[in-house]
Amino acid sequence: MTKKTSNTMWGGRFAAGPDAIMEAINASIGFDQRMASQDIEGSRAHAAMLAATGIITDSDAEAIREGLLTVLSEIEGGTFQFSTALEDIHMNVESRLKEIIGEPAGRLHTGRSRNDQVATDFKLWVRDQFDAAEAGLIALIQALLGQAEAGADWVMPGFTHLQTAQPVTWGHHMMAYVEMFGRDLSRVRDARKCMNESPLGAAALAGTSFPIDRHMTAEALGFDRPSANSLDAVSDRDFALDFLSVASITAMHLSRFAEELVIWSSAQFRFVTLSDRFSTGSSIMPQKKNPDAAELIRAKVGRIYGANTGLMMVMKGLPLAYSKDMQEDKEQVFDAADSWMLAMAAMEGMVKDMTANRDSLKAAAGSGFSTATDLADWLVRVLGMPFRDAHHVTGTLVALAENKDCDLPDLTLEDMKSAHEHITAEVFDVLGVQNSVDSRMSYGGTAPAQVRIQVRRWKDILK
Ligand code: ARG
């Protein structure tokens, strides 16, 4: 049996190499290669700073910076040989750099450690994902605004307890989701602002005795400032948890909308027709058109919450500063990010492509005594009744309509007068669903005019 040699990157004190199982549990290269470009970006900034501060020579820094670009092109071109023995992306890159440029490569790791390096790489990666999430949310909001504008005055039933409550407008319903995704957008922007501090130069945990310039690397990498405590810098994964918690809330919003689309596209509801591009057929039932994309979006929440809970458990109870536990941060975040971006893109596509079935919406809007509240309000407004009494009178009329198997607008004036003698024919004006929604003019209400105000407000916000 050939004895494995110790690791060339850190094996000075080791006589033998690791056990194969140790290598398998220890290595992160299988997944952290996704941070290759961030790793190289960070190292290039670090090398430039080492030269600017006179810690290494300009020519060494130049060789390092050029060599790193060669490594990047090998990785991007798919010719790079990743090695599990070299554990992670940091050592794979540095080892290859050594093969390409020789001795100067060994000077790159001056004044830093893999602990600040991995925190920096991961932050840069997560920051890119925050930017992608921002773009995805804006695109989704724009798709919803398109639907809201087109259908600002299309009536549909509004529900509470999934029971018909009052008529609302299609535009209003779409705008409810615009508000939700708008809050998600704020959360994304806040979290990105909060996380934008550079861990680079915190070194292993205590900082370094080399005269490094952390402000310079922070600026080169687009951070607002260097993080102010080296222990915190290498042991902080709040940025990943912020990412996952914003992702979780957004995914929850996506799942609610996805659930509505599943219900709405059913034969029983027929509120919307999803486009063929976002549906599938059944292999056995020829009549079926399934809302698979919506169902999958609804389900993606599970993985995203799982990642959020998982990383919280990894971080819980960890003493300062870096512990290898923290290597378990990445796969969950990668998976959650992929799921989140895909779910948003699929939802945007579905929203753009779906058709509201205006006739079904309108018919459903008028059923279930949905204008009962309008009747009660009329009794208050026109007859000056206290609302509680009006509620009671309306209740009697709903019972009467139920008995006659008709809807409120189908009752006769005599029926109305049987409940309260002062009711006049004017009452029928408020019983139509269109009248009902038109009258809901309170700020943020469902009236088409209010919906259009909100659509305009959001268009201005997104400008
Ligand atoms: N692969 C490691 C990680 O992802 C990099 C940091 C390793 N640091 C160390 N001291 N072993 O966390």
Side-chain angles (χ1 to χ4, degrees), residues 147 149-156 168-172 355-358 361-362 434 437 446 448 452:
Q147 285 284 351
E149 198 165 34
D153 57 3
W154 302 347
V155 288
M156 67 178 282
V168 295
T169 49
W170 172 260
H172 199 50
T355 315
N357 301 329
R358 295 178 60 182
L361 288 169
K362 192 168 183 187
Q434 198 72 52
V437 296
T446 197
R452 290 190 183 104

Side-chain angles (χ1 to χ4, degrees), residues 81-233:
Q81 290 290 323
F82 291 105
S83 149
T84 319
L86 289 166
E87 268 184 58
D88 55 25
I89 187 62
H90 324 297
M91 297 202 294
N92 269 268
V93 168
E94 194 186 315
S95 168
R96 179 67 188 132
L97 181 67
K98 180 99 189 284
E99 288 171 5
I100 298 170
I101 68 166
E103 194 253 276
R107 301 186 187 279
L108 169 60
H109 213 51
T110 315
R112 76 168 186 192
S113 142
R114 268 191 297 156
N115 297 349
D116 58 336
Q117 191 180 354
V118 71
T120 305
D121 295 2
F122 195 32
K123 260 197 172 178
L124 291 173
W125 194 91
V126 170
R127 197 177 66 185
D128 285 348
Q129 295 297 309
F130 271 125
D131 293 340
E134 181 180 28
L137 280 166
I138 289 172
L140 175 54
I141 290 172
Q142 268 155 351
L144 287 161
L145 288 174
Q147 285 284 351
E149 198 165 34
D153 57 3
W154 302 347
V155 288
M156 67 178 282
F159 299 92
T160 60
H161 315 267
L162 201 55
Q163 309 284 322
T164 303
Q166 294 173 0
V168 295
T169 49
W170 172 260
H172 199 50
H173 202 111
M174 295 300 122
M175 291 307 288
Y177 284 100
V178 167
E179 291 296 326
M180 289 184 238
F181 294 123
R183 286 193 295 275
D184 295 331
L185 185 59
S186 303
R187 274 186 277 272
V188 163
R189 287 171 172 164
D190 287 351
R192 191 204 190 279
K193 204 178 294 165
C194 175
M195 64 98 74
N196 205 27
E197 295 185 341
S198 172
L200 193 58
L205 74 164
T208 175
S209 56
F210 290 101
I212 60 169
D213 182 350
R214 293 192 59 209
H215 290 87
M216 182 181 167
T217 44
E219 198 189 321
L221 296 172
F223 288 112
D224 296 328
R225 64 192 80 83
S227 52
N229 182 293
S230 60
L231 289 170
D232 175 50

Side-chain angles (χ1 to χ4, degrees), residues 28 32 88 90 114-115 118 322 324 326-327 330:
S28 53
D32 68 13
D88 55 25
H90 324 297
R114 268 191 297 156
N115 297 349
V118 71
Y322 177 85
K324 195 64 174 251
M326 290 162 68
Q327 181 167 288
K330 287 176 242 353

Side-chain angles (χ1 to χ4, degrees), residues 4 24 50 54 101 125 217 232 234 255 266 278 345 351 358 379 392:
K4 271 191 139 184
L50 291 176
I101 68 166
W125 194 91
T217 44
D232 175 50
V234 294
S255 80
S266 68
F278 287 94
V351 170
R358 295 178 60 182
L379 296 171
H392 186 80

Side-chain angles (χ1 to χ4, degrees), residues 411-420 423-428:
L411 290 175
T412 63
L413 185 58
E414 280 61 50
D415 293 332
M416 294 285 182
K417 284 187 181 297
S418 74
H420 195 280
I423 297 180
T424 65
E426 270 172 65
V427 75
F428 292 102

